[in-house]
Amino acid sequence: MPVRPLAPSHARAGAGRAVVTGGAGFLGSHLCTALVRGGWDVVCLDSFLTGGAANVAHLVDEPTFHLRRCDLVDFVHVPGAVDLVLHFASPASPVDYLQLPIETLKVGAVGTLHALGLAREKGARLVLASTSEVYGDPQVHPQPEDYWGHVNPVGPRGVYDEAKRYAEALTTAYRTAHGTDTAIVRIFNTYGPRMRPHDGRAIPTFIRQALAGEPLTVAGDGSQTRSVCYVDDLVAGVLALATSEHPGPVNVGSPEELTVRRIAEDVLAATGSRSSLRLVGRPVDDPEVRRPDITRARALLGWEPRVPWREGLARTVDWFREQARVPA
Ligand code: NAD
């Protein structure tokens, strides 16, 4: 399918007007930055549930950036034309969604309903941030988009996995029933600057522990795998999908599979830390393997990750070191 430039419904010097829900979060803030740099007028909607204004502090003086505090579950109102909605609002790390199970289900359901309503009202294209977690603990490896997944709806992770599966179904229904221009991106583990040191995900946890000289807590025996994508690559993939006509779902992630133990060892090397590894219990329903099949993203979007793991890790460690020097 051809990649088309988004046609702004109102003529501006820039590329168009985008709404980013969850724009003050980790991924959302990088998307806002890329859009502003690309000439877009950007409205960032966020309740600051798991993100914060500090993530977009570097943008607030830009005349084309507008930060609005808003809980997507309550309502969404954006005056004026909108060409693109990037719907990224949702708790995303296991620590967050296990503490916020109802909020996670609500934003995946009601929040997605409101984001789709906004896109429909404005005639905008909407990209739903879905997740590799829709594949659950997969029985097909690597995971292509036509794999339906292996999810436990009543396990602790069900609140996130099923919220996203419902959000995918709702997005598809808006496309078929209302003709709304939608796309679904299934994001695999992404890392980079602005991850929170205590968000519970492996890479920020390991970096925080390594910099503090504490043991790195590796779940299980560390042989389970993850495929980790640097945030700049993720942003490029999402924007390639946003500016195409493809409905998805499209996997965006790195096909380079690393064991969790290897990630921990590489963090030790990147930080120069002399911390040890400490094996701790595996979380319930923790996936054994995780790797995207990115054939579709390559073929339809011409996208693949470019930042090598060690380089992305070095950039992330630099950012964590910098944060440790700046008083909060
Ligand atoms: P994050 O927690 O840093 O960002 C999510 C943002 O959404 C936060 O700023 C939060 O305050 C906001 N938010 C939550 N509920 C809201 C609500 N009801 N109304 C308005 N704002 C709300 O998480 P992230 O890692 O940046 O993830 C962003 C999106 O990408 C999520 O939808 C997540 O499911 C998806 N995703 C992320 C990854 C990853 O590796 N980071 C992987 C797969 C999918």
Side-chain angles (χ1 to χ4, degrees):
M1 209 167 283
V3 173
R4 51 134 207 208
L6 271 174
S9 54
H10 59 142
R12 277 177 180 274
R17 189 149 184 259
V19 171
V20 182
T21 78
F26 164 47
L27 298 184
S29 64
H30 286 276
L31 285 164
C32 288
T33 306
L35 288 166
V36 167
R37 283 189 191 143
W40 290 77
D41 198 279
V42 176
V43 180
C44 168
L45 302 180
D46 205 294
S47 63
F48 306 141
L49 183 65
T50 55
N55 284 334
V56 287
H58 59 291
L59 295 174
V60 289
D61 291 333
E62 298 284 343
T64 54
F65 181 75
H66 317 276
L67 176 61
R68 304 268 180 274
R69 184 172 196 153
C70 145
D71 187 333
L72 227 59
V73 172
D74 294 338
F75 74 101
V76 185
H77 174 64
V78 177
V82 176
D83 305 292
L84 175 66
V85 179
L86 299 180
H87 177 39
F88 276 65
S90 171
S93 85
V95 165
D96 288 336
Y97 63 70
L98 294 175
Q99 275 172 6
L100 301 164
I102 309 292
E103 290 84 345
T104 302
L105 283 156
K106 275 187 171 174
V107 74
V110 184
T112 302
L113 186 72
H114 289 158
L116 283 161
L118 176 71
R120 184 182 179 209
E121 173 202 340
K122 305 289 184 181
R125 178 165 167 83
L126 178 141
V127 178
L128 169 71
S130 186
T131 169
S132 58
E133 303 295 332
V134 299
Y135 300 124
D137 190 3
Q139 294 165 317
V140 171
H141 191 65
Q143 295 81 54
E145 289 86 350
D146 56 9
Y147 174 52
W148 293 352
H150 182 227
V151 170
N152 176 5
V154 294
R157 301 170 75 101
V159 297
Y160 181 65
D161 305 0
E162 297 294 8
K164 290 291 181 179
R165 288 166 70 95
Y166 175 85
E168 286 200 11
L170 191 60
T171 300
T172 305
Y174 261 66
R175 186 175 188 86
T176 51
H178 292 317
T180 309
D181 182 8
T182 61
I184 296 168
V185 55
R186 290 190 181 144
I187 301 169
F188 283 65
N189 289 350
T190 303
Y191 71 98
R194 297 196 207 113
M195 294 188 94
R196 285 173 294 135
H198 290 276
D199 84 357
R201 292 185 265 205
I203 294 174
T205 304
F206 291 159
I207 296 176
R208 170 177 58 78
Q209 291 169 331
L211 293 179
E214 296 167 5
L216 274 55
T217 47
V218 173
D221 64 359
S223 64
Q224 67 277 24
T225 66
R226 298 294 180 264
S227 303
V228 293
C229 183
Y230 188 65
V231 64
D232 289 1
D233 282 329
L234 183 280
V235 166
V238 170
L239 296 184
L241 179 61
T243 52
S244 78
E245 291 176 342
H246 199 276
V250 178
N251 288 337
V252 171
S254 168
E256 186 185 356
E257 194 174 357
L258 305 170
T259 64
V260 170
R261 176 182 278 274
R262 157 91 192 273
I263 292 173
E265 287 166 351
D266 287 350
V267 167
L268 289 180
T271 53
S273 168
R274 299 174 66 181
S275 294
S276 57
L277 303 188
R278 191 170 78 211
L279 304 183
V280 296
R282 286 275 294 278
V284 178
D285 295 337
D286 192 34
E288 195 58 44
V289 289
R290 182 71 89 220
R291 172 154 60 102
D293 179 333
I294 61 164
T295 308
R296 193 178 279 186
R298 280 196 175 108
L300 296 175
L301 308 175
W303 177 88
E304 62 184 354
R306 307 209 175 277
V307 181
W309 155 238
R310 283 177 203 278
E311 186 182 325
L313 177 60
R315 288 189 210 170
T316 310
V317 167
D318 284 349
W319 186 82
F320 272 78
R321 281 196 206 279
E322 188 60 34
Q323 292 306 108
R325 278 195 286 273
V326 180

